[in-house]
Amino acid sequence: MSSVAVLTQESFAEHRSGLVPQQIKVATLNSEEESDPPTYKDAFPPLPEKSACLESAQEPAGAWNNKIRPIKASVITQVFHVPLEERKYKDMNQFGEGEQAKICLEIMQRTGAHLELSLAKDQGLSIMVSGKLDAVMKARKDIVARLQTQASATVPIPKEHHRFVIGKNGEKLQDLELKTATKIQIPRPDDPSNQIKITGTKEGIEKARHEVLLISAEQDKRAVERLEVEKAFHPFIAGPYNRLVGEIMQETGTRINIPPPSVSRTEIVFTGEKEQLAQAVARIKKIYEEKKKKTTTIAVEVKKSQHKYVIGPKGNSLQEILERTGVSVEIPPSDSTSETVILRGEPEKLGQALTEVYAKANSFTVSSVSAPSWLHRFIIGKKGQNLAKITQQMPKVHIEFTEGEDKITLEGPTEDVTVAQEQIESMVKDLINRMDYVEINIDHRFHRHLIGKSGANINRIKDQYKVSVRIPPDSEKSNLIRIEGDPQGVQQAKRELLDLASRMENERTKDLIIEQRFHRTIIGQKGERIREIRDKFPEVIINFPDPAQKSDIVQLRGPKNEVEKCTKYMQKMVADLVENSYSISVPIFKQFHKNIIGKGGANIKKIREESNTKIDLPAENSNSETIVITGKRANCEAARSRILSIQKDLANIAEVEVSIPAKLHNSLIGTKGRLIRSIMEECGGVHIHFPVEGSGSDTVVIRGPSSDVEKAKKQLLHLAEEKQTKSFTVDIRAKPEYHKFLIGKGGGKIRKVRDSTGARIIFPAAEDKDQDLITIIGKEDAVREAQRELEALIQNLDNVVEDYMLVDPKHHRHFVIRRGQVLREIAEEYGGVMVSFPRSGTQSDKVTLKGAKDCVEAAKKRIQEIIEDLEAQVTMECAIPQKFHRSVMGPKGSRIQQITRDYNVQIKFPDREETPAHGMEPAIQENGDEASEGREADPGSPRRCDIITISGRKEKCEAAKEALEALVPVTIEVEVPFDLHRYIIGQKGSGIRKMMDEFEVNIHVPAPELQSDVIAITGLAANLDRAKAGLLERVKELQAEQEDRALRSFKLNVTVDPRYHPKIIGRKGAVITQIRLEHDVNIQFPDKDDGSQPQDQITITGYEKNTEAARDAILKIVGELEQMVSEDVPLDHRVHARIIGARGKAIRKIMDEFKVDIRFPQSGAPDPNCVTVTGLPENVEEAIDHILNLEEEYLADVVDTEALQVYMKPPAHEEAKAPSKGFVVRDAPWASSSEKAPDMSSSEEFPSFGAQVAPKTLPWGPKR
């Protein structure tokens, strides 16, 4: 392939002009004799000398003269200097830091210029700015404004000169500000001031001031004059195409403004220097006077519709008449009804002008063609194609279609209009003959369904029948549909649309009631489930209500049968959802929740998976004890039973069933469960479970500690008996702070009222809205009695009194410590009574109490009891070894806090002793006094760090001491075989941690090097038996696993020829994996690289029975393989790729079809054509026949392709080309001197652009 450069005549002339005549040579292509090489000067013309004189500059100095032009640099560099006294930022800790550096960075980012700052010796600032000119000027302005101190000055110039300083669109002012790096403020036009304010550096202000004064001085030289000239003579002064006025402006340098014809002003304005302006005015006056004398007018009538043709496009026709005849034509305004045209000019020229006016008026004509409006679209054609054919031939013809009218208007040159009219008429005739239209009435409600989604239906009808269907927009509410096109297509489209409409009329709309909570589930997370339903019933439209409407109605619309099917399908789906959304609540004591969850959620996960339910537990910080189970009813019941059995196993929980008539259940539960909740709270938090409403069951289940269950049962039956006889209810009100006082300590007061009257009194729960309401339930006389007693108590509480009592100041601290916790408890318990102790520091023993009389008395009594406790307080010591203190305290001190609350004592633990001195007690502080001297420790006495101090009443301290001693952990030892220890510990200690958490003990496994069988369990005595039993149970499980492992370790060897191994393994291990899974065994094949292993042995490991079954399966495969034969087929290697196919797809298809294995030779094989086919004899034969047929077919293509490539190759050259001599020149400088020819391979002599040149190494070292 050779590239050809094409020279046009112009480019050839240009190329030639760059050479001197002597340098133009003619080269003959393909000449036998080689032309002489060019001279050095021919190839490399010399550059012009620097000292060339001006005279010789006109002469061509070599071929470079005409070609080289100066190129203006796009990047410029300017240096600005800011003197020290004008610097804005002088006090800098370090140059290049602070505000100045930030400002420079901002300027660079905003303008795109590059800034470099340097500090001169005089502390002046030098700034080098590089970049494009515009960027440099903007940066300079910013530098001056932000880094240099600013001064200001005012320049007074005449107000009328201000606009010349601003310039057109403010461009002159912007340029001036950039050039001088200043800010120039010009007063607004409505401001009478003539002062221009300039802000910037002194130098910039001076420059700007000079420029402003220069502009003003220029304007002082200029003058303005106005000349009144009749409007009719303006065209003569302007001349044809404004040439005359243009010539005058050019010659005199004066600007002349003639008002346009549309403006009714007569004055012509002249602006310029006074002398030239006078000349221009004189010339205009002369023209005006001459025309006034010589010209006359004639008036002619021209149709109004023809005026625009006389004017011509942009008034060109009028200018043309003026140029040819010197006559001005005056046309009345377009809004005038006048048809009179006035011609003004010299009498002898008027005739010619009149002829031209009539010629112009009659050069255009208007015509119309009758065509039904529905055909207009077809005449115009798709995207105006049909109309474009006419307008391209006759561009001056204007064709106008008016909507709703049965005509087309044509306007243009008469001849062109006639031709266009004929073409349109023939087009209309043709369309009327072969086109038809029909209008059909279809209810507008069905229109959008006829159109279909994204116009799918209507577009299909249009394309299928080649018609146009016009459906009115929804806003019109019109039923009329118009079909236009081929008569046959129109009828077919009409039929189909009417069929669709009739089908829609037979459509059915059905409202399906589905609870809104299921809508989201039916639709699916990303709409995938509703898509499935819509795909199943494509003719049914399913509409879900907006979630905000809270509606349960889902609308289905479509053919009756389809809607019915879809309804049944969705109802079944909803029934499944309802079945799966059955929910029950199970109350479980809070302390057992962690056991139900299990370690890492193992228990709850297992229950969820096995029962196929959703189980929700309350949050850890919540007071709720209820666990909610959701799913199918049977599954929920099963999960509930499992959860309750866990609770029953963990605690002494009794369960009692009580038979109460179902009709009483609602009244026993009470409003929002208030009544039943009061019984549960009163009886120690038992759980009472009523059957589901409507089940008809009378059985009520009570669950909890045995004593509490009996108590709750008695109360429930008593209440049911009352309800059956006759129940009466009364509500009374009392302030919430009185409730605790009315209930009394441990419910004593309210129990007394209940026992005396037999009525049940229910106080509001924390979550109830009305906290004042107390409900009394029972027989009417009992309720009335209880009401009287309670109202008397409440009335007493409303009588506020103030009383005082004496309390020894030494006890005051006990009441006010911990932010007055004791006083807060008294206030809560005794109806909000206020107790005031004297301020600390005063020795007063008077304590004031304010509140209801009964509450004050009760509070005084309680304070007296506390004082008696404090005075009767004793201190006891309880010796427990320090190593058990942490265990006794419990997590976060919970156990000790419980004992403190239960026995109303104070417990103090000693400070921890890290390294006590041998035989000596460490000195400790007691009430701020140091032990003065160490005393010898009695070997039998406990250490100081082991003694826990208990303070309180004597009997309470003794009970608390017993409780503390019961918390001391005990250790027992359990015999466990050493080889099982690692399994008990589990992976990363998980097994032993699980047991310790479950039984709340510490389990110590001996170190492996001790080889001991004894495992120590440490914990509370109550937990040790359970822990020991759990550990022994785990040992049994592990021993059973060991036995099972031994049975699973049975090994069986099968001898199989190695060549069958790949077939037994299968593709990607599919066959062997199937055998392994089916028989639950492990199958090991011999390692090919290991020479010591017998290569025909396959090892099967597992249960003996399973290994034998797996062996039989392998031998069965081997038996099948032994029946197979292998045959080699010679197959031309050129067709191998075609037979194999892309990624082996074709050959896999053949192998699957004929149930054979086909192997192709590897690259570099001795016989590249040998293909091996393996399988059953009859399958092998069929496969070989098939691939040989394929070979024959593909080989024909290969031969054809190779034959064609012979002609595609370029002809081979018989003679080898002579080696290239490279580029040769004559008379080079090195040819006649001692200089050496340049080395073209040297990067130093011929360097690359932009690359660094390595300096030549000289014998005496590098150049300096």
Side-chain angles (χ1 to χ4, degrees):
M1 290 283 288
S2 62
S3 61
V4 180
V6 180
L7 276 175
T8 62
Q9 194 173 353
E10 294 80 3
S11 61
F12 178 69
E14 189 185 341
H15 170 70
R16 231 178 129 77
S17 66
L19 303 170
V20 291
Q22 291 82 1
Q23 290 170 326
I24 298 166
K25 292 186 185 278
V26 180
T28 310
L29 290 170
N30 300 324
S31 60
E32 289 180 12
E33 289 182 11
E34 193 182 329
S35 58
D36 289 339
T39 63
Y40 182 79
K41 280 189 179 180
D42 289 344
F44 303 103
L47 292 168
E49 294 294 327
K50 282 183 184 176
S51 59
C53 62
L54 290 169
E55 293 83 15
S56 64
Q58 303 301 322
E59 297 296 322
W64 306 98
N65 227 36
N66 295 335
K67 295 292 173 189
I68 297 174
R69 294 185 183 89
I71 297 169
K72 195 172 182 182
S74 63
V75 176
I76 65 160
T77 301
Q78 288 191 12
V79 178
F80 309 119
H81 188 71
V82 182
L84 175 64
E85 60 275 10
E86 289 183 20
R87 276 178 57 195
K88 195 179 273 188
Y89 301 97
K90 296 175 190 174
D91 304 325
M92 289 190 296
N93 298 330
Q94 191 174 342
F95 184 70
E97 289 183 358
E99 198 63 31
Q100 186 170 271
K102 282 184 195 170
I103 289 167
C104 289
L105 201 62
E106 282 175 29
I107 293 170
M108 286 199 282
Q109 286 171 348
R110 204 174 71 78
T111 62
H114 178 69
L115 271 64
E116 285 184 24
L117 277 72
S118 57
L119 215 55
K121 286 182 181 177
D122 62 355
Q123 293 300 300
L125 194 66
S126 291
I127 305 159
M128 185 168 79
V129 187
S130 306
K132 293 191 175 176
L133 179 63
D134 186 41
V136 169
M137 297 309 285
K138 282 180 184 172
R140 179 188 171 199
K141 187 182 173 186
D142 279 2
I143 288 163
V144 167
R146 299 181 69 179
L147 296 182
Q148 208 164 346
T149 51
Q150 304 288 292
S152 65
T154 55
V155 183
I157 66 166
K159 187 82 177 170
E160 58 269 22
H161 295 173
H162 286 192
R163 63 193 182 94
F164 298 104
V165 175
I166 296 167
K168 191 176 181 181
N169 297 327
E171 287 173 5
K172 194 161 191 178
L173 182 64
Q174 286 173 8
D175 288 347
L176 194 57
E177 284 182 333
L178 276 174
K179 201 195 300 180
T180 60
T182 56
K183 175 72 181 166
I184 302 170
Q185 290 172 289
I186 294 172
R188 296 175 66 81
D190 52 3
D191 188 346
S193 169
N194 65 352
Q195 300 280 343
I196 292 177
K197 187 179 178 184
I198 306 168
T199 309
T201 60
K202 287 178 185 175
E203 184 190 349
I205 291 169
E206 285 304 316
K207 280 185 186 175
R209 190 169 179 278
H210 172 71
E211 291 288 340
V212 169
L213 290 172
L214 207 62
I215 291 164
S216 181
E218 277 178 20
Q219 294 310 313
D220 280 339
K221 292 178 187 175
R222 298 173 75 80
V224 177
E225 192 169 329
R226 289 174 171 79
L227 179 66
E228 289 286 336
V229 174
E230 286 178 54
K231 189 80 179 169
F233 293 96
H234 285 190
F236 298 113
I237 290 163
Y241 302 104
N242 290 324
R243 284 185 200 136
L244 184 58
V245 77
E247 284 172 16
I248 295 168
M249 285 197 288
Q250 200 170 358
E251 287 171 14
T252 61
T254 305
R255 188 176 166 197
I256 303 168
N257 186 15
I258 300 172
S262 57
V263 178
S264 60
R265 281 167 57 197
T266 57
E267 65 176 13
I268 297 172
V269 182
F270 300 81
T271 310
E273 291 188 11
K274 289 173 183 173
E275 290 175 13
Q276 284 93 331
L277 186 140
Q279 288 176 23
V281 171
R283 285 182 66 176
I284 297 289
K285 274 183 180 175
K286 188 181 175 187
I287 293 166
Y288 174 47
E289 295 298 334
E290 276 180 16
K291 291 293 176 186
K292 208 170 179 185
K293 284 177 189 174
K294 291 182 180 179
T295 57
T296 183
T297 60
I298 59 166
V300 293
E301 295 296 313
V302 176
K303 283 183 186 176
K304 190 75 180 172
S305 60
Q306 292 177 320
H307 285 191
K308 58 183 175 184
Y309 308 130
V310 177
I311 296 166
K314 295 181 183 177
N316 280 347
S317 297
L318 293 179
Q319 296 297 330
E320 202 179 306
I321 294 166
L322 182 61
E323 186 179 28
R324 286 185 189 166
T325 63
V327 174
S328 162
V329 181
E330 295 167 27
I331 306 287
S334 57
D335 54 358
S336 165
T337 56
S338 172
E339 293 188 340
T340 305
V341 174
I342 297 168
L343 283 76
R344 189 184 303 275
E346 293 174 15
E348 62 273 16
K349 302 280 187 180
L350 286 173
Q352 185 189 345
L354 184 59
T355 308
E356 290 211 16
V357 166
Y358 279 123
K360 297 281 183 196
N362 295 322
S363 63
F364 280 76
T365 187
V366 177
S367 180
S368 66
V369 176
S370 290
S373 59
W374 67 273
L375 284 178
H376 289 187
R377 291 184 308 110
F378 300 102
I379 293 164
I380 294 164
K382 198 173 182 181
K383 294 182 181 178
Q385 285 174 351
N386 296 347
L387 212 58
K389 291 174 187 173
I390 298 170
T391 52
Q392 279 169 8
Q393 292 171 15
M394 289 152 283
K396 291 184 181 178
V397 175
H398 174 67
I399 303 169
E400 190 176 331
F401 294 83
T402 310
E403 196 174 341
E405 287 188 18
D406 291 343
K407 68 170 186 176
I408 302 164
T409 308
L410 290 85
E411 189 180 321
T414 310
E415 290 177 8
D416 290 356
V417 165
T418 308
V419 175
Q421 187 174 347
E422 286 173 6
Q423 288 186 13
I424 289 172
E425 281 173 350
S426 67
M427 202 185 287
V428 170
K429 194 175 178 183
D430 176 54
L431 286 169
I432 287 170
N433 289 336
R434 63 183 180 82
M435 297 288 278
D436 193 9
Y437 77 91
V438 72
E439 289 179 342
I440 55 174
N441 271 303
I442 294 175
D443 195 321
H444 68 271
R445 289 178 299 125
F446 303 139
H447 286 187
R448 65 193 183 96
H449 306 300
L450 291 177
I451 293 165
K453 194 174 181 182
S454 304
N457 285 353
I458 207 71
N459 288 337
R460 178 185 59 75
I461 291 168
K462 284 178 181 178
D463 294 342
Q464 190 174 340
Y465 303 119
K466 304 287 186 288
V467 292
S468 169
V469 183
R470 301 188 71 188
I471 297 174
D474 287 344
S475 55
E476 288 183 17
K477 305 285 183 192
S478 169
N479 295 344
L480 204 66
I481 294 176
R482 187 182 176 99
I483 310 166
E484 299 166 356
D486 177 68
Q488 191 182 346
V490 165
Q491 292 306 318
Q492 287 174 329
K494 176 186 172 181
R495 263 197 308 277
E496 184 157 345
L497 284 172
L498 288 171
D499 285 350
L500 281 171
S502 67
R503 248 186 284 159
M504 282 171 199
E505 283 170 359
N506 295 330
E507 271 189 353
R508 184 177 173 197
T509 300
K510 187 167 184 178
D511 289 344
L512 199 59
I513 307 294
I514 298 173
E515 284 182 65
Q516 197 180 33
R517 64 193 173 110
F518 297 131
H519 290 188
R520 190 72 250 160
T521 314
I522 293 168
I523 292 165
Q525 197 171 5
K526 292 180 180 174
E528 66 281 353
R529 293 188 73 176
I530 198 67
R531 268 200 299 278
E532 268 179 47
I533 300 169
R534 283 179 176 147
D535 291 345
K536 204 175 182 73
F537 305 100
E539 292 181 65
V540 179
I541 295 165
I542 305 167
N543 289 322
F544 283 85
D546 192 306
Q549 291 176 358
K550 304 286 182 190
S551 171
D552 294 341
I553 297 169
V554 177
Q555 196 179 69
L556 309 180
R557 191 164 47 75
K560 189 176 177 181
N561 293 341
E562 289 296 304
V563 166
E564 286 302 324
K565 285 179 190 172
C566 187
T567 302
K568 284 178 185 172
Y569 181 83
M570 288 185 76
Q571 281 173 339
K572 187 177 181 300
M573 184 187 275
V574 172
D576 289 345
L577 288 173
V578 169
E579 190 182 358
N580 286 320
S581 63
Y582 177 79
S583 179
I584 54 172
S585 299
V586 187
I588 297 291
F589 294 102
K590 193 80 176 176
Q591 64 265 36
F592 302 130
H593 282 200
K594 63 176 182 179
N595 304 92
I596 287 162
I597 294 166
K599 181 74 174 174
N603 288 357
I604 200 76
K605 190 177 178 184
K606 191 176 179 186
I607 297 168
R608 279 174 181 151
E609 285 173 358
E610 290 179 6
S611 63
N612 193 22
T613 56
K614 181 187 173 191
I615 301 172
D616 294 314
L617 286 98
E620 203 172 329
N621 52 4
S622 160
N623 293 325
S624 171
E625 294 185 333
T626 307
I627 295 173
V628 180
I629 308 168
T630 311
K632 288 187 177 178
R633 185 167 186 162
N635 295 348
C636 290
E637 292 294 345
R640 179 169 171 268
S641 302
R642 289 189 61 173
I643 289 171
L644 289 173
S645 69
I646 291 171
Q647 179 180 248
K648 200 169 182 180
D649 293 346
L650 290 168
N652 181 24
I653 301 296
E655 189 176 290
V656 172
E657 290 183 354
V658 183
S659 185
I660 295 172
K663 63 182 180 180
L664 297 176
H665 290 184
N666 281 345
S667 59
L668 288 175
I669 291 166
T671 311
K672 294 183 181 177
R674 285 178 68 196
L675 187 52
I676 203 69
R677 196 166 55 236
S678 72
I679 295 173
M680 290 196 290
E681 284 171 4
E682 195 178 322
C683 301
V686 296
H687 294 147
I688 301 173
H689 178 69
F690 283 83
V692 179
E693 194 175 352
S695 65
S697 173
D698 294 343
T699 307
V700 177
V701 180
I702 308 169
R703 192 181 299 109
S706 304
S707 56
D708 293 336
V709 166
E710 282 304 316
K711 191 176 172 185
K713 179 183 174 183
K714 201 178 287 180
Q715 285 203 24
L716 199 60
L717 289 170
H718 178 66
L719 192 61
E721 192 183 329
E722 279 183 4
K723 291 279 180 191
Q724 270 182 312
T725 51
K726 194 176 180 185
S727 182
F728 186 72
T729 305
V730 164
D731 290 336
I732 61 170
R733 293 186 172 275
K735 290 178 185 175
E737 55 264 31
Y738 295 164
H739 290 189
K740 270 198 175 180
F741 181 74
L742 292 172
I743 293 164
K745 194 169 185 181
K749 282 188 181 179
I750 209 71
R751 200 181 298 115
K752 193 177 175 185
V753 174
R754 190 180 294 152
D755 293 344
S756 65
T757 62
R760 171 165 291 282
I761 301 156
I762 302 167
F763 284 83
E767 61 269 17
D768 288 346
K769 283 183 182 176
D770 196 344
Q771 289 290 309
D772 292 355
L773 198 70
I774 300 168
T775 306
I776 310 169
I777 299 171
K779 292 178 183 177
E780 188 173 357
D781 54 345
V783 169
R784 294 293 181 200
E785 182 64 29
Q787 184 183 2
R788 273 195 298 277
E789 285 191 31
L790 280 174
E791 281 175 346
L793 282 169
I794 293 162
Q795 197 174 354
N796 287 341
L797 291 174
D798 286 336
N799 296 328
V800 177
V801 297
E802 191 171 316
D803 200 353
Y804 70 91
M805 65 184 292
L806 301 177
V807 177
D808 194 322
K810 68 179 179 181
H811 299 312
H812 289 192
R813 186 171 177 276
H814 174 78
F815 289 94
V816 297
I817 57 169
R818 296 195 299 280
R819 297 181 181 177
Q821 188 178 341
V822 175
L823 293 180
R824 275 203 308 277
E825 286 170 3
I826 292 169
E828 279 177 21
E829 198 170 335
Y830 300 104
V833 69
M834 288 173 63
V835 183
S836 301
F837 276 77
R839 289 182 182 278
S840 60
T842 61
Q843 289 304 307
S844 172
D845 57 357
K846 188 177 178 181
V847 175
T848 308
L849 295 92
K850 188 177 181 181
K853 190 177 180 184
D854 290 352
C855 294
V856 167
E857 288 303 321
K860 278 171 75 176
K861 192 177 176 184
R862 175 69 186 130
I863 291 169
Q864 201 60 49
E865 283 173 9
I866 292 168
I867 292 165
E868 284 172 16
D869 282 351
L870 290 171
E871 285 175 346
Q873 203 171 63
V874 295
T875 301
M876 277 190 182
E877 289 183 349
C878 175
I880 294 173
Q882 191 183 41
K883 63 181 178 178
F884 298 129
H885 285 190
R886 184 172 288 178
S887 175
V888 168
M889 285 180 184
K892 296 181 181 176
S894 58
R895 289 175 181 164
I896 229 68
Q897 285 166 13
Q898 188 63 42
I899 293 170
T900 306
R901 279 196 299 273
D902 291 349
Y903 301 105
N904 195 20
V905 294
Q906 289 183 355
I907 300 170
K908 186 180 177 185
F909 280 78
D911 292 335
R912 191 170 182 81
E913 187 182 67
E914 297 298 335
T915 52
H918 181 66
M920 293 291 289
E921 279 291 323
I924 61 166
Q925 284 192 340
E926 186 69 42
N927 299 325
D929 301 326
E930 276 191 19
S932 55
E933 59 183 70
R935 63 179 187 274
E936 278 195 26
D938 181 0
S941 68
R943 294 182 307 159
R944 200 84 180 128
C945 63
D946 295 340
I947 294 169
I948 298 167
T949 309
I950 308 167
S951 303
R953 280 185 174 269
K954 188 178 180 184
E955 62 276 12
K956 298 277 176 115
C957 288
E958 285 170 354
K961 184 179 177 182
E962 284 177 21
L964 278 174
E965 286 169 346
L967 290 174
V968 176
V970 184
T971 302
I972 59 167
E973 292 181 344
V974 184
E975 288 274 340
V976 175
F978 173 73
D979 59 333
L980 296 179
H981 287 194
R982 62 196 183 99
Y983 301 112
I984 286 166
I985 293 167
Q987 194 174 15
K988 295 182 180 176
S990 59
I992 204 156
R993 265 202 308 276
K994 185 182 175 185
M995 289 176 75
M996 289 197 292
D997 290 343
E998 190 177 342
F999 302 117
E1000 294 181 8
V1001 294
N1002 183 38
I1003 301 173
H1004 177 70
V1005 179
E1009 56 269 18
L1010 298 176
Q1011 298 279 311
S1012 170
D1013 290 344
V1014 177
I1015 289 178
I1017 306 174
T1018 306
L1020 300 181
N1023 297 339
L1024 288 178
D1025 290 340
R1026 279 175 53 237
K1028 182 178 178 182
L1031 182 61
L1032 293 173
E1033 187 62 37
R1034 179 70 181 136
V1035 168
K1036 279 182 190 173
E1037 285 175 15
L1038 291 170
Q1039 285 172 340
E1041 282 176 21
Q1042 273 187 333
E1043 288 170 15
D1044 185 60
R1045 217 172 7 256
L1047 290 172
R1048 286 179 67 91
S1049 305
F1050 180 78
K1051 285 191 178 180
L1052 185 67
N1053 288 332
V1054 186
T1055 305
V1056 176
D1057 195 320
R1059 65 199 168 107
Y1060 297 138
H1061 289 189
K1063 287 291 178 187
I1064 294 166
I1065 292 166
R1067 191 155 178 238
K1068 292 183 181 176
V1071 178
I1072 202 69
T1073 304
Q1074 181 65 30
I1075 295 169
R1076 281 175 181 148
L1077 293 172
E1078 199 174 319
H1079 301 289
D1080 189 23
V1081 292
N1082 182 32
I1083 302 170
Q1084 197 71 34
F1085 284 82
D1087 187 354
K1088 289 179 184 176
D1089 302 329
D1090 189 354
S1092 62
Q1093 281 187 356
Q1095 293 296 304
D1096 59 352
Q1097 293 293 311
I1098 297 172
T1099 307
I1100 309 170
T1101 310
Y1103 292 119
E1104 186 175 357
K1105 179 176 65 177
N1106 293 0
T1107 55
E1108 286 170 357
R1111 177 195 62 192
D1112 295 343
I1114 290 169
L1115 291 175
K1116 187 182 175 186
I1117 294 168
V1118 171
E1120 287 172 4
L1121 291 170
E1122 283 174 344
Q1123 290 176 16
M1124 291 184 181
V1125 294
S1126 287
E1127 280 194 36
D1128 291 342
V1129 187
L1131 205 67
D1132 196 305
H1133 67 275
R1134 292 174 293 175
V1135 299
H1136 286 191
R1138 286 282 299 274
I1139 290 169
I1140 292 165
R1143 296 183 182 176
K1145 203 172 179 182
I1147 198 68
R1148 271 201 303 277
K1149 190 178 176 185
I1150 295 167
M1151 289 196 288
D1152 292 344
E1153 188 181 338
F1154 295 101
K1155 294 182 176 55
V1156 294
D1157 182 55
I1158 302 171
R1159 298 284 168 193
F1160 285 83
Q1162 299 286 335
S1163 58
D1167 184 358
N1169 298 331
C1170 183
V1171 175
T1172 306
V1173 184
T1174 308
L1176 294 172
E1178 60 275 13
N1179 293 350
V1180 169
E1181 283 176 22
E1182 286 176 20
I1184 289 170
D1185 288 345
H1186 181 70
I1187 58 175
L1188 287 173
N1189 289 338
L1190 288 177
E1191 179 197 28
E1192 191 178 333
E1193 184 186 329
Y1194 296 154
L1195 207 53
D1197 293 347
V1198 170
V1199 171
D1200 290 348
T1201 308
E1202 286 178 353
L1204 191 63
Q1205 281 176 346
V1206 171
Y1207 298 100
M1208 300 281 285
K1209 286 181 183 175
H1213 294 286
E1214 288 178 12
E1215 293 178 11
K1217 280 187 179 178
S1220 173
K1221 293 180 183 178
F1223 181 63
V1224 180
V1225 291
R1226 292 180 289 114
D1227 305 332
W1230 56 81
S1232 57
S1233 67
S1234 59
E1235 272 190 56
K1236 186 185 169 191
D1239 179 6
M1240 285 194 291
S1241 63
S1242 165
S1243 61
E1244 186 185 353
E1245 294 184 5
F1246 291 92
S1248 299
F1249 284 114
Q1252 287 188 334
V1253 179
K1256 193 181 278 185
T1257 309
L1258 302 173
W1260 48 84
K1263 290 179 182 178
R1264 288 199 163 87

